[in-house]
Amino acid sequence: MEAYFQLAYIAAAVLFIVGLKMLGRADTARRGNMVSAVGMLVAVVATLLQSGVDYAVVFAGLVVGGGVGVFWSRRVQMTQMPETVALFNGAGGGASLLVGWAEFLSRPGQDTVTAIATVLAVLVGGVTLTGSIVAWGKLSERVSGRPILFGGQQVVNGALLLAAVVVGVLFAMNPGGGYAWLLVAIAVALVLGVLSVIPIGGADMPIVISLLNSYSGLAASAAGFVIDNTVLIVAGSLVGASGLILTQIMCKAMNRSLTNVLFSGFGSATQSTGQAVEGEVKAMTPEDAYFVLEAANNVVFVPGYGMAVAQAQHAVKELADLLEENGAEVRYAIHPVAGRMPGHMNVLLAEANVPYEQLVEPGDVNPNMEMVDVAVVIGANDVVNPAAKEDKGSPLYGMPIIEVDRARTTFVLKRSMKPGFSGVENPLFYKDNTRMVFGDAKAVLGQLVGEFKSD
Amino acid sequence: MEAYFQLAYIAAAVLFIVGLKMLGRADTARRGNMVSAVGMLVAVVATLLQSGVDYAVVFAGLVVGGGVGVFWSRRVQMTQMPETVALFNGAGGGASLLVGWAEFLSRPGQDTVTAIATVLAVLVGGVTLTGSIVAWGKLSERVSGRPILFGGQQVVNGALLLAAVVVGVLFAMNPGGGYAWLLVAIAVALVLGVLSVIPIGGADMPIVISLLNSYSGLAASAAGFVIDNTVLIVAGSLVGASGLILTQIMCKAMNRSLTNVLFSGFGSATQSTGQAVEGEVKAMTPEDAYFVLEAANNVVFVPGYGMAVAQAQHAVKELADLLEENGAEVRYAIHPVAGRMPGHMNVLLAEANVPYEQLVEPGDVNPNMEMVDVAVVIGANDVVNPAAKEDKGSPLYGMPIIEVDRARTTFVLKRSMKPGFSGVENPLFYKDNTRMVFGDAKAVLGQLVGEFKSD
Amino acid sequence: MTVLLLLLFIFVLAIFLGRELIQKVPSQLHTPLMSGTNAISGIAIVGAIASTAVGGTFSTVLAFIAVVLASINVFGGYLVTDRMLGMFRAGKRED
Amino acid sequence: MTVLLLLLFIFVLAIFLGRELIQKVPSQLHTPLMSGTNAISGIAIVGAIASTAVGGTFSTVLAFIAVVLASINVFGGYLVTDRMLGMFRAGKRED
Ligand SMILES: NC(=O)c1ccc[n+]([C@@H]2O[C@H](COP(=O)([O-])OP(=O)(O)OC[C@H]3O[C@@H](n4cnc5c(N)ncnc54)[C@H](OP(=O)(O)O)[C@@H]3O)[C@@H](O)[C@H]2O)c1
Ligand SMILES: NC(=O)c1ccc[n+]([C@@H]2O[C@H](COP(=O)([O-])OP(=O)(O)OC[C@H]3O[C@@H](n4cnc5c(N)ncnc54)[C@H](OP(=O)(O)O)[C@@H]3O)[C@@H](O)[C@H]2O)c1
């Protein structure tokens, strides 16, 4: 019998591996997710058939938890995805913590290795739990998105980390007798999760969530060592390793290092802008902008975080349709870190039914930027900041941008002259061929659409 | 103690994994090989420390085998590499076979699973052993390189394969008592190895060796199950899987399928040439060719198997140096399957100290082929055959080629009008801008060099 | 002891495998991929289910909460990933 | 039985890992890579060494031959791969 369970676990592991691989490619991603879900089903069923499982408890738990999960996943809007993932992730970490705890209570005479695994599951699971909740709070603006900094913060965090290690060692050295140490470990982990995430700015939360996701995998893996369960170990460490790689990939796309994200409190204050900006700001009314657009043959939209804030994606699509009717070629240049989560713009534009083939990457549009009659920047800022190319002193220096400063005309739709996420001034706004069209993006686009229609 | 061995094995496995990964990239390949060698050392030392090992026997074996291996690897020429690898590979397969056999003799009361593993190690190891020896014979021309075909060959091979399975099952069902079956299995495997490789043409041997390499990994893995040894299982299956992928990659580069390689007897007879070739062959003497080269600014050499046969790489380099002195730009266009083993041309040209940056791929040189004054084809044939682009009936159709037919002038250095490896006629030789410079490649190049020097 | 070391071996291999599986992901897949791997980390549900076998009221309560949390992760995680990827598909359908 | 299943798990993971490790190899590396993996398959030497522990004259003879063959594979395999890769390096030095 035992042998069949193991074989089922091997099958589940293979399904996870194949599913994960498929998740990384656009054309197979959705099926990959289903393959991985089947793997989960296989693992759960095999576990349910094992002796001793308390079906009443499991069933009740599945109904409650499953219900919450289903409800939640249906209700959230696309823009709330990252924080939702954070919550789910925290739940997973919490489960690993509880598994370690419950196992300890029922089998207190643990050997050293099991004790180490237990305390790791509890510590990593605990950090994941509260860290994810804070990340959720920041993204959903229940907690301030600004980095919360206080004097000696890094010292406190360092001390907590040390405490976690010490408690872990004490517990492992005294296996079975160390219930008090285990409780202390739980408390330390929960506090550490909160304190290590609050100093990080809200906009960096996607990276933090990805990292915590990796942690929750490792916590599950540790729990697997506690109960000698292979599929827990394998699936957990797959997530632990792939989550870490994904975190690095995300950091790279934002031109940041992981250390910088975790410890710098980036975005905590408006930073020095590097060079002073020269030139004159030229504003334009939507009416005048309309005449320019009307004459354009080649238009590129550059959406950014402001489009998400204004929920202007449908208005953009409407304007694009009118421009196309008018004979213009329309494309959308999507910067990998536009918005506040990876793929943010893609999701919003997909929601508005923008055809996939009109989405282009910076590398496709930059070489021919001189041929673009009008580049319409919709609530984007950092991703079109020429300082990233020109000003070595700028914090953005080195990040690839969408080079709308080289287009024939550039319209920037935003509400004010305020800087974007990075807090860095944008010399684009002062260029000769730039016109600022101030106002909420959705409202301005609505006016432009109105002009086209009344024509 | 046992725990330390396992930990050492884990370390060895990690070194193999890292080494294998590094082997796949040009800049880290050599270090990767060393990393993997360290892994082997760790595994061997850990095994030596285990109880019961007969040091005298091991030491004698290491000295004899190591001596042969070292001697051989020093003595062979670069062009003999593939057959040397084949021999080493066969030795590995043989070792797995013998491990299975020896273990059975000493512990006849095997359980079913061990029995299955034993018979697999013996079967796969045996096929690897004799198959590799035949491959070596073909490449080193000790056995005819032509496919050896006889009536009902596939039936015989099919029957042998079936026999292997049946014997395996009988042995596994009667664990312990089936020594006779084991001996039959050994015999069947050895015969099967010979018979399945002899129908394959000599030029396909690199692929066969790569496949047998994968087999030898699997045999080792099976031997690992016989003696419950983790590092054998892991390293063996790493090689088994990566060898299979490598085999597929190699097939793809030659535009062949694995089935086609294994079962078609490709190259067994001069095949139909597809279209009849029209046009007139224009020969040229080396003296006249010299005048054309002397006036050329942009020269591309296209080496092929004939350069290897003539050992003309040093002569090519000498001519190239003279051309460069004369003010011409010189490049070498290397087709991935030029020659008879992957990387054949790269190895030869590296031996002649051709600078790495002068080697270009077909994709780099084809788009600007019209700018090339003279393309010098040195004993290449199939890789420059325009039928691959033009003639849907040709067996080469679809293979990417180096499109020298579009160069201003093309010299083809070969001894006759005979076709190349594929047996397909080459319309290139009949094109208006092609001149045949007949003769041994080294001799002709020598004459050209002489003309330049006497100038 | 042997079992433990074999589990350790499995752990090491899975770590390397996880590392190799994710490479060169297009940026619009970063969020779905994060969400998809998060769903897999819901494998803690297997531990949670197994821990209901322990007995003892308090332990059972802990195990129950563990099952609840883990199933939130599993159900929510897979469904939300699917919804996200469905969006992309919808956008793609038009080409 | 448990040990066996764990070994099977290890086998499966290693197979997937081997598959992932080799991707998009430039063609001039095909031969060295083949040779390098061949050297790794010389791991059969571990089995050969272990099998010298079996006793019995004939078994010992088999084990001895196994050690000889496996060490040909290991020593020859690594050295020949290194020589091949050294050639490439030599060609590369000049840039
Ligand atoms: N994509 C990710 O995963 C991710 C994650 C973390 C951080 N980030 C960072 O976020 C930044 C993204 O760059 P971005 O160019 O998309 O955005 P941004 O630089 O943050 O700029 C957004 C701009 O939108 C404008 N805006 C806000 N609400 C608006 C409304 N209702 N109507 C019109 N405009 C509005 C704001 O200007 P006003 O206030 O003047 O209107 C602001 O300057 C990058 O620095 C990136 O590194 C990205
Ligand atoms: N690279 C690999 O890994 C590999 C492996 C297996 C098969 N293959 C196959 O091998 C072929 C390779 O193409 P290829 O163009 O390199 O070679 P090829 O098509 O085989 O042609 C070689 C040519 O060299 C000439 N030649 C032979 N000895 C010569 C000498 N001493 N001096 C001058 N010329 C000489 C021959 O013509 P004469 O007899 O008239 O002189 C022959 O036509 C492809 O079909 C490929 O698929 C490659």
Side-chain angles (χ1 to χ4, degrees), chain B residues 202-207 250 253-256 266 303-312 335-345 377-384 396 399 413-422 429 438-442, chain D residues 31:
Chain B
D204 278 338
M205 282 306 128
I207 291 181
M250 285 167 66
M254 298 195 199
N255 199 30
R256 308 277 304 275
F266 193 71
Y305 179 59
M307 183 181 85
V309 175
Q311 289 286 316
H335 193 281
V337 301
R340 287 294 180 274
M341 69 182 198
H344 204 164
M345 297 300 117
V377 176
I378 304 166
N381 191 338
D382 295 343
V383 301
V384 293
L396 293 175
M399 181 170 92
L413 277 60
K414 69 197 292 283
R415 298 165 307 179
S416 66
M417 291 299 293
K418 283 210 213 103
F421 162 63
S422 67
F429 305 159
F438 289 115
D440 176 80
K442 194 171 178 178
Chain D
T31 304

Side-chain angles (χ1 to χ4, degrees), chain B residues 92-454:
Chain B
S96 294
L97 183 159
L98 293 172
V99 170
W101 191 351
E103 283 294 323
F104 173 83
L105 285 181
S106 62
R107 290 188 253 290
Q110 293 178 321
D111 58 61
T112 313
V113 176
T114 312
I116 294 174
T118 304
V119 78
L120 280 176
V122 163
L123 284 174
V124 182
V127 169
T128 308
L129 174 60
T130 51
S132 299
I133 292 176
V134 174
W136 163 78
K138 290 209 170 206
L139 276 177
S140 62
E141 280 158 24
R142 259 157 259 252
V143 178
S144 159
R146 315 230 86 201
I148 300 172
L149 301 172
F150 56 83
Q153 194 162 31
Q154 308 222 345
V155 178
V156 172
N157 284 355
L160 272 173
L161 196 63
L162 190 72
V165 173
V166 170
V167 171
V169 170
L170 287 172
F171 175 76
M173 276 171 32
N174 182 11
Y179 190 32
W181 289 128
L182 191 69
L183 294 178
V184 174
I186 293 175
V188 169
L190 295 177
V191 176
L192 186 59
V194 173
L195 289 189
S196 56
V197 176
I198 54 165
I200 304 174
D204 278 338
M205 282 306 128
I207 291 181
V208 172
I209 294 172
S210 179
L211 186 66
L212 288 170
N213 182 26
S214 167
Y215 286 178
S216 77
L218 293 176
S221 197
F225 277 99
V226 175
I227 61 172
D228 281 0
N229 184 302
T230 49
V231 78
L232 253 178
I233 295 177
V234 169
S237 45
L238 281 176
V239 173
S242 62
L244 203 59
I245 298 288
L246 184 59
T247 309
Q248 284 170 357
I249 294 178
M250 285 167 66
C251 284
K252 219 168 136 190
M254 298 195 199
N255 199 30
R256 308 277 304 275
S257 79
L258 189 54
T259 344
N260 184 264
V261 169
L262 294 182
F263 302 117
S264 77
F266 193 71
S268 55
T270 309
Q271 292 168 351
S272 76
T273 60
Q275 289 178 339
V277 180
E278 279 167 32
E280 196 194 336
V281 174
K282 288 171 284 297
M284 197 183 234
T285 60
E287 291 76 38
D288 292 340
Y290 158 70
F291 289 111
V292 179
L293 277 175
E294 216 270 313
N297 287 320
N298 188 340
V299 177
V300 169
F301 287 108
V302 183
Y305 179 59
M307 183 181 85
V309 175
Q311 289 286 316
Q313 61 271 28
H314 295 283
V316 176
K317 165 76 167 140
E318 206 180 343
L319 179 59
D321 286 346
L322 289 167
L323 284 167
E324 284 191 311
E325 269 175 41
N326 194 32
E329 187 202 343
V330 174
R331 287 172 303 164
Y332 300 77
I334 312 291
H335 193 281
V337 301
R340 287 294 180 274
M341 69 182 198
H344 204 164
M345 297 300 117
N346 302 69
V347 168
L348 292 175
L349 294 175
E351 197 189 305
N353 278 319
V354 169
Y356 195 75
E357 69 273 13
Q358 290 187 355
L359 308 185
V360 294
E361 300 193 2
D364 299 329
V365 70
N366 281 340
N368 305 314
M369 193 55 88
E370 282 83 4
M371 320 277 286
V372 173
D373 294 321
V374 186
V376 186
V377 176
I378 304 166
N381 191 338
D382 295 343
V383 301
V384 293
N385 190 331
K389 283 183 307 180
E390 293 159 5
D391 174 9
K392 293 216 170 153
S394 167
L396 293 175
Y397 187 73
M399 181 170 92
I401 61 160
I402 299 173
E403 304 175 3
V404 290
D405 50 312
R406 285 171 35 233
R408 297 209 177 118
T409 310
T410 299
F411 291 156
V412 178
L413 277 60
K414 69 197 292 283
R415 298 165 307 179
S416 66
M417 291 299 293
K418 283 210 213 103
F421 162 63
S422 67
V424 174
E425 282 279 348
N426 194 337
L428 172 71
F429 305 159
Y430 303 86
K431 298 247 164 172
D432 281 344
N433 54 344
T434 300
R435 298 289 174 276
M436 304 299 295
V437 189
F438 289 115
D440 176 80
K442 194 171 178 178
V444 170
L445 288 166
Q447 281 176 273
L448 287 169
V449 166
E451 293 286 336
F452 263 100
K453 287 201 172 148
S454 71

Side-chain angles (χ1 to χ4, degrees), chain A residues 15-285:
Chain A
L15 289 167
F16 288 139
I17 291 167
V18 173
L20 200 50
K21 173 104 189 165
M22 290 169 75
L23 264 172
R25 283 203 223 106
D27 50 341
T28 55
R30 197 172 187 187
R31 257 182 307 134
N33 189 49
M34 285 171 194
V35 169
S36 133
V38 172
M40 188 62 75
L41 184 68
V42 170
V44 167
V45 170
T47 311
L48 282 175
L49 294 177
Q50 272 160 45
S51 64
V53 170
D54 186 333
Y55 286 111
V57 173
V58 171
F59 187 72
L62 280 175
V63 168
V64 174
V68 172
V70 171
F71 175 75
W72 227 326
S73 63
R74 289 270 158 90
R75 223 206 37 180
V76 291
Q77 289 176 351
M78 286 315 276
T79 42
Q80 301 173 318
M81 289 298 175
E83 56 251 47
T84 312
V85 172
L87 267 193
F88 293 158
N89 191 43
S96 294
L97 183 160
L98 293 171
V99 170
W101 191 352
E103 284 293 325
F104 173 82
L105 284 181
S106 63
R107 289 189 252 290
Q110 294 178 323
D111 58 61
T112 312
V113 176
T114 313
I116 294 174
T118 304
V119 77
L120 279 176
V122 162
L123 284 173
V124 183
V127 169
T128 308
L129 174 61
T130 52
S132 299
I133 292 175
V134 173
W136 163 78
K138 291 211 170 205
L139 275 177
S140 63
E141 280 158 24
R142 261 157 257 253
V143 179
S144 159
R146 313 230 88 200
I148 300 172
L149 301 172
F150 56 84
Q153 194 162 31
Q154 308 221 345
V155 177
V156 173
N157 284 355
L160 272 174
L161 197 62
L162 190 71
V165 173
V166 170
V167 170
V169 171
L170 288 173
F171 175 77
M173 275 168 36
N174 182 11
Y179 190 31
W181 289 126
L182 190 69
L183 293 179
V184 174
I186 293 175
V188 169
L190 295 178
V191 176
L192 186 60
V194 174
L195 290 189
S196 55
V197 176
I198 54 164
I200 303 173
D204 278 337
M205 283 306 131
I207 292 181
V208 172
I209 294 173
S210 179
L211 186 66
L212 289 170
N213 182 26
S214 166
Y215 287 177
S216 77
L218 293 177
S221 196
F225 277 99
V226 176
I227 61 172
D228 282 0
N229 184 303
T230 47
V231 78
L232 253 178
I233 295 177
V234 170
S237 44
L238 281 176
V239 173
S242 62
L244 203 59
I245 297 290
L246 184 58
T247 309
Q248 283 170 357
I249 294 177
M250 284 167 67
C251 283
K252 217 168 139 192
M254 299 196 200
N255 201 29
R256 306 277 303 276
S257 79
L258 189 54
T259 344
N260 183 263
V261 168
L262 294 182
F263 302 117
S264 76
F266 194 69
S268 55
T270 308
Q271 291 168 353
S272 74
T273 61
Q275 288 178 344
V277 179
E278 279 166 33
E280 194 193 337
V281 174
K282 288 171 284 298
M284 197 183 235
T285 61

Side-chain angles (χ1 to χ4, degrees), chain A residues 203 254 305 337 339-342 379 381-382 414-416 421 440-441:
Chain A
M254 299 196 200
Y305 180 59
V337 299
R340 287 292 180 275
M341 69 181 199
N381 192 338
D382 295 342
K414 67 196 294 283
R415 298 166 306 180
S416 67
F421 164 62
D440 176 79

